[in-house]
Amino acid sequence: MVDKDKPRLRFPFPEEAFSSERPRHRTVDRITDILEFVARRGTPQALTEISRAIGAPLSSTQSLVNGLTAAGYLEERNKLFGMGLTPYLLSTLAGNRPVEQVTHQMLEDVVAETGYIAVLAVLVGDNVYYLDYAASNPDFAYLAQNRLERPPLETSAGWVILAGLGDEQVWTMLSASASSKETVDKFQSDYPKLRASGECIAPGVALNGADGVAVAVRNQGNVVASVSVIAAMDDIARDADKIIEVLRRHQVKWNR
């Protein structure tokens, strides 16, 4: 439980740097307490446990937890809340790297065998981000260079990640999706196969002339990311069998 009377440690900053205290903000304190509690526990926590730990009413805790989950700071699985990927995305933008089990060299190895672009994708909030990429040519490299958000239903990587969330969460996201009804219907039709295989081969849903072949990245059985090979639709259609064989072979190196 977070002790409100105990002064916060501000390691590694020297004490003199805080000689003039900034005013605290109650809501910000509660948000940071929630994130610190969940992170330190190491396993997903129930809402009641979070409320008790931060010393706040259940109703206000639920409101904050809902907001943090929607923004990707927390992740819900079976009504338990663990750390989401937004903090790691911000670390990546600042020069650090999440999802350490898939190294940049692994992406380079996939590119060496396929000749196309390989990306490491995660779901942050309601969108897919490409955290890292490797490419043998500049075609479609712009898709990954700036880590821009992408609707999950419009990428092969997003299909794989969504399928790994579980029924309740994926249906909630589908109901709020801005993608076309045709795309949503296609995903729903393919969902059982996607969930069972952890693979998506050329869904044909991207709006930029590209297509992809993606496989899941798992940690302790949970889908935490996806590695996808991206190329022009014609190239993917022609080489899909070869690409999925390469990804399956490399997948054993990063799954935990």
Side-chain angles (χ1 to χ4, degrees), residues 89-218:
L89 174 64
L90 296 178
S91 294
T92 295
L93 294 174
N96 300 322
R97 176 186 171 81
V99 195
E100 291 289 349
Q101 65 202 75
V102 181
T103 66
H104 184 75
Q105 185 58 54
M106 290 176 181
L107 298 180
E108 293 280 6
D109 292 343
V110 170
V111 170
E113 292 194 53
T114 63
Y116 297 123
I117 296 170
V119 300
L120 171 64
V122 295
L123 184 70
V124 179
D126 294 334
N127 293 289
V128 166
Y129 291 81
Y130 297 152
L131 297 184
D132 195 7
Y133 78 98
S136 60
N137 63 68
D139 293 344
F140 299 109
Y142 70 91
L143 294 173
Q145 286 171 339
N146 295 317
R147 301 190 180 96
L148 300 176
E149 64 184 38
R150 306 196 176 281
L153 284 179
E154 295 175 15
T155 68
S156 59
W159 278 42
V160 166
I161 297 171
L162 282 181
L165 294 179
D167 295 348
E168 184 176 346
Q169 191 172 355
V170 76
W171 300 142
T172 299
M173 294 192 68
L174 288 180
S175 66
S177 174
S179 297
S180 69
K181 182 179 183 302
E182 180 182 5
T183 300
V184 173
D185 288 346
K186 180 173 172 55
F187 176 84
Q188 287 180 311
S189 176
D190 290 355
Y191 173 71
K193 179 175 65 176
L194 293 166
R195 185 161 176 76
S197 68
E199 300 175 353
C200 181
I201 302 174
V205 293
L207 303 178
N208 49 29
D211 208 345
V213 176
V215 298
V217 177
R218 289 188 169 89

Side-chain angles (χ1 to χ4, degrees), residues 223-237:
V223 176
V224 297
S226 175
V227 172
S228 179
V229 171
I230 302 172
M233 288 185 174
D234 290 345
D235 292 333
I236 289 292

Side-chain angles (χ1 to χ4, degrees), residues 1 4 26 30 48 50-61 64:
M1 179 171 179
K4 295 292 185 180
R26 183 182 181 188
R30 282 188 172 175
T48 53
I50 297 173
S51 174
R52 187 179 300 114
I54 69 171
L58 187 62
S59 58
S60 59
T61 301
L64 293 173

